[in-house]
Amino acid sequence: MTQIADDAPTVWAPAIRQRRKAMMQRLVMGAATALVFSPMLGWRFSATWMVLYTLIQFLEAKVFAPVVAGKISSPMGWRGAYGDLVLILNAGFFGGMTIPLWIVGGPMGGIAGAVLLSAGMINSVIMSAGSMRIFACTVLPQLAIFALTPLFMAQMGAPPHVVTAVTVGILSYTVFCLNTRRTLFRANRAETEARREADRKREEAETAMASRGAFLAAVAHDLRTPISAILTGADELERGAKPGSSRQQVALITDAGLMMKALLDDLLDHARLDAGRMSVDSRDFDLRLLVSQTARLWAGPARAKGLRLRMEGARTLPRMVRGDAMRLRQVLNNLISNAMKFTDDGAITLRLKAWPDEHGAHVLLIDIEDTGPGMTEAQLARLFTAFDQTTEGVAARFGGSGLGLSISRDLIELMGGRLTVRSAPGQGSVFTLSVVLPRGAALEAPPPALAPEARATITRALSPPPVQAPAPEPKPRSAEPSPPEDDQPEAPLRVLVVDDHAINRRAVQLILQSVDCEIAMAEDGLAALEACDRAQFDVVFMDVRMPELDGRETTRRLRAGGGLNAAVPVIAVTADTAPDDIAACTAAGMNYFVSKPLTPGSLLGALSQVLTEAAEAADAAESAAA
């Protein structure tokens, strides 16, 4: 009985909740009992008993409502004592039905009562869930009534040896109930400990995942800084490199930087997918154009390796569909790259099929088939396991991180599709991508790039003023009007670069040094706000992650300040390109973004975009004013 208080914090509250779930079962059992014994005890007595028994059930539910709601976990104070009394009343009232059965029904009624008590006690033992306190309040009252059975038998003239046998049976039944309660208690305690251990391990895993995610994000942010410098520096070297070995060395640096960028992107995608933070976009895009551009991208590398890159069934593809074009392109690039990596001779074939489904969407089926060495069943079984290729030295021979196929499969599943593979040794491999894409409505605007019209815009905006020979001094005569203001050379573009890393600031400066720009720099958000108070700028490149005051908060303060640069175009420079991160930048007031590592094309493309948008907005304002 010492366990009555000891087990309360662990099994008392679960036992109360379990009894609450069985409330309807008790009501049904009580109604059946009243109905069965009504011919013997009378309808009025049975109906009155059933009404009282129902009221007791609702009284128990009201007393223990805070426990069921999770507000109370142990029987403390008056509520614990009151609850014990209600439980005793509930069990005793049900078991008390045996007494009128003995009195009215004689020995036959007593036998029926004994069966009723046995069923009631077994049910109470189970519902106590191993709690000694609940067991004592619900089972012991019925055992006490059950112990009266030999007395009723002796009073009604039963032989002594029969009374003795029934007494021994009752004692054995009591021991059985106690052993069952002990077994339930141990099972419940083991389950509770296992649940606690599982919760502890889950919390540890979540903490480890969060720490790993934060570590990867921090490392990725720091790694993108030197990668940006490598790519920017290589681009600058290529401009002045002479043909021959110098250009080959510059190309080697560029390839290494791009490889580092690709590996870093794979690691970040894997971390986001593993943490459940990856999401796919849904926009209209031209599917034919996407597949065609992807195939053209790999045509050169295929020729350089002596392979044939073929595409079949392109005409079956619809043009406008809705989905995540960037992620679909990423998967296709991964699959083609993987096929080209393991294929030494022969061909890589893209077989394309598409047809409308019953809902008007497009079912897309793409096979990427190669003539490589093929794979065994053991290799197929672990093909989509991240980092698995390192177990057999594949990375040492072919390169890569072993993440491409794992990421591709997860991305396709996020799109609601499947990625499967068929292969056999010596027969090549076929990767099959299947996904359903809704019908698209309109063509998405092309991504910012140095297209001819954009190149012309940025050239006009950033070109240095022409150098003019000094004019001879005019002969003294009456004054002539000055030339119109529109004929004066345009002032240089004023750019503010905000980044806490000097390498990043220097990278932007190197990219923009070939055009006419006046570049100011700030190493944090507070310094950027001070610079914006002193001078007016045409464009601000704003790093998102900075200590003390990050780029988003700096932009919000810049917009809210109403100063010289309250409406200046702000381009976010960020390593976080997930849709939620970009949406947060837009909500902060940023106009555009460029992802790290920085490349000349991406930076100038973003600059061209915001200049074009600013020019269009100015033209629209002038037209409205006119």
Side-chain angles (χ1 to χ4, degrees), residues 46-70:
S46 298
T48 302
W49 181 88
M50 184 59 201
V51 171
L52 294 176
Y53 186 68
T54 302
L55 291 176
I56 293 173
Q57 305 310 311
F58 284 101
L59 178 62
E60 178 180 333
K62 184 175 181 180
V63 171
F64 293 117
V67 182
V68 176

Side-chain angles (χ1 to χ4, degrees), residues 72 95 136 221 225 262 314 347 432 499 512 553:
I72 297 175
H221 184 266
T225 296
T432 301
D499 201 295
L512 297 180
E553 180 60 27

